[in-house]
Structures are given as structure tokens and as C-alpha cells.
Amino acid sequence: MDCAWVPGLSEMLRDPGGFVRYVCECRQYGRLISFLILLTLGGFGIFGLVTGFFVGWSVALLDMVKMIGVVVFGFALCLPSLYVFMCISGVVLSFSRIVTVGLVITAMMGCVMGALAPVVWLFSASTSCLGFFLMFLLFAGSVAVGFGVLPIKRAFMSGVFNSCAALYSWLAILVGVMLQCITLMRPMLSPVGEDAKPQGKQFFIQHFFDALNLN
């Protein structure tokens, strides 16, 4: 597939299945990697920034860095499983193309998180109810994950992949890993210098309920 024309953001959002097909079939796909990384880091970073406004500027900037770290660290940890799952499912692609397919998913999530950032900022700046804000963040994150499924679903429907079970399984693992990374980087909604970083191991579900003061 000769690719003098390179699809951009609009094409990815309107036709994620066609975008994945481009990644899988085009000879010149390398320049897309930086584009997808930028969308991923930008979206997650902006989401972290507006989340931290719940406390203030200092925490907002720190949360921006933490959210970028969450997606980078989580994606890196899940790369081996992405490659193995895709190979087991019969997908014949190079490692770099498989990585790019994974980046399409995280870039889609990043775009949705960036689009929701103004709404998250409104609630972070106007409410002091931590429980409500945490539930709203959970809802916003779930919406982003839901749209992250679209490239997988559309690619399967358009015949790019014979099965989407591998990518669905990988996305579930990626989300779990990123949630655990958030727990590892806690706290994210506490003033800088107030109480040292919580010590000890903790599962992300336990961390969430602890934040809600439910246990």
C-alpha cells in the first residue's frame, strides 16, 4: 500500500477501523508513531492537569507528570502481552506495527480524555466534595476506555483482524495496570507536603475505597 497521503486526527476519530488498516498495510507508517505518542501523552497529561486543580496549581502540574508516567509505564509493561496475544490470535505483523496498533488505542483514549478535560476542570475548580469528584473521574475514565474499544471493534468489523479477543483482553489488562500505577504514584489529590506519601503495598480497588473513606 503506497501512502503518499497520511491520515490525521480527523480520520482516526471518524474511521478508527480504517486507521488501523492503514497502520497494518501501509509501507510508510513510522511517522505515525510520533503522532500517536503525542496524542496519548497530550490527552493523559491534560487530564491529569485539570484533575489536580481540585487541590491547586502545584498538585495540577504534579498530576500532569504522574498521568503521563502512568500511561508510559503501563504501556511499556503491557507491550510483551500485546505482542504475544496478537501472535497467538494469528495476526501476522511486525513488532513495530503491533506497537503502533496499541498506540492507536491509547491515542483514542487520550483524545477522549483531552476532550473531557474542560468538564473535569469545571468540577475540580467548583466542588470540594472528594467523593463526588472521584466518582466523576471514574466515569470520565470509563468513557475514555469505552471509546478506546472502537478501533478494535471497527477494525474487526472491517476485516482487518479475524478476532478481536486478543486486543480486548490486552486493553483490560492495560486498564488494570494503569489503575495500579495510579495507586503506586499516590497521592494525587492531596496538597504537596501534607502527609508523606502513603507507605506500603495497596490494590487499586482498596485505594479507591480508602479515598472514599468507605472502609
Side-chain angles (χ1 to χ4, degrees):
M1 185 176 181
D2 191 12
C3 301
W5 170 79
V6 179
L9 177 61
S10 297
E11 287 75 23
M12 187 186 74
L13 296 177
R14 293 171 182 166
D15 184 18
F19 197 89
V20 174
R21 179 181 292 278
Y22 177 92
V23 169
C24 294
E25 298 179 356
C26 183
R27 295 175 185 175
Q28 303 295 328
Y29 67 95
R31 47 188 162 175
L32 276 179
I33 293 178
S34 57
F35 167 70
L36 295 172
I37 291 175
L38 180 63
L39 288 178
T40 300
L41 300 185
F44 276 81
I46 292 172
F47 191 86
L49 180 71
V50 296
T51 296
F53 275 115
F54 183 80
V55 179
W57 261 108
S58 58
V59 174
L61 294 173
L62 189 59
D63 282 356
M64 178 180 68
V65 176
K66 286 184 177 181
M67 282 302 295
I68 291 175
V70 163
V71 67
V72 170
F73 193 43
F75 190 84
L77 289 176
C78 293
L79 267 183
S81 59
L82 174 62
Y83 180 73
V84 171
F85 288 2
M86 293 284 277
C87 289
I88 291 176
S89 66
V91 174
V92 183
L93 292 174
S94 65
F95 179 76
S96 59
R97 287 186 190 269
I98 289 176
V99 170
T100 309
V101 170
L103 286 173
V104 174
I105 297 172
T106 58
M108 180 68 77
M109 293 169 59
C111 286
V112 175
M113 295 176 84
L116 291 173
V119 180
V120 175
W121 170 83
L122 173 65
F123 286 100
S124 67
S126 62
T127 182
S128 60
C129 180
L130 178 60
F132 166 78
F133 189 58
L134 285 173
M135 294 302 296
F136 183 75
L137 289 177
L138 181 63
F139 170 73
S142 299
V143 171
V145 173
F147 279 100
V149 171
L150 276 182
I152 305 173
K153 182 179 178 181
R154 298 282 179 82
F156 172 70
M157 292 174 63
S158 60
V160 179
F161 301 130
N162 294 326
S163 172
C164 53
L167 284 173
Y168 281 147
S169 301
W170 177 77
L171 179 58
I173 292 172
L174 176 66
V175 171
V177 168
M178 288 195 297
L179 288 173
Q180 191 62 31
C181 286
I182 290 175
T183 303
L184 182 66
M185 296 181 184
R186 69 191 191 274
M188 297 189 73
L189 291 175
S190 297
V192 176
E194 180 181 296
D195 297 328
K197 178 180 177 180
Q199 300 298 316
K201 301 177 182 179
Q202 196 172 36
F203 183 44
F204 68 83
I205 294 179
Q206 180 187 358
H207 173 226
F208 179 75
F209 282 110
D210 280 351
L212 290 175
N213 294 319
L214 295 181
N215 66 349

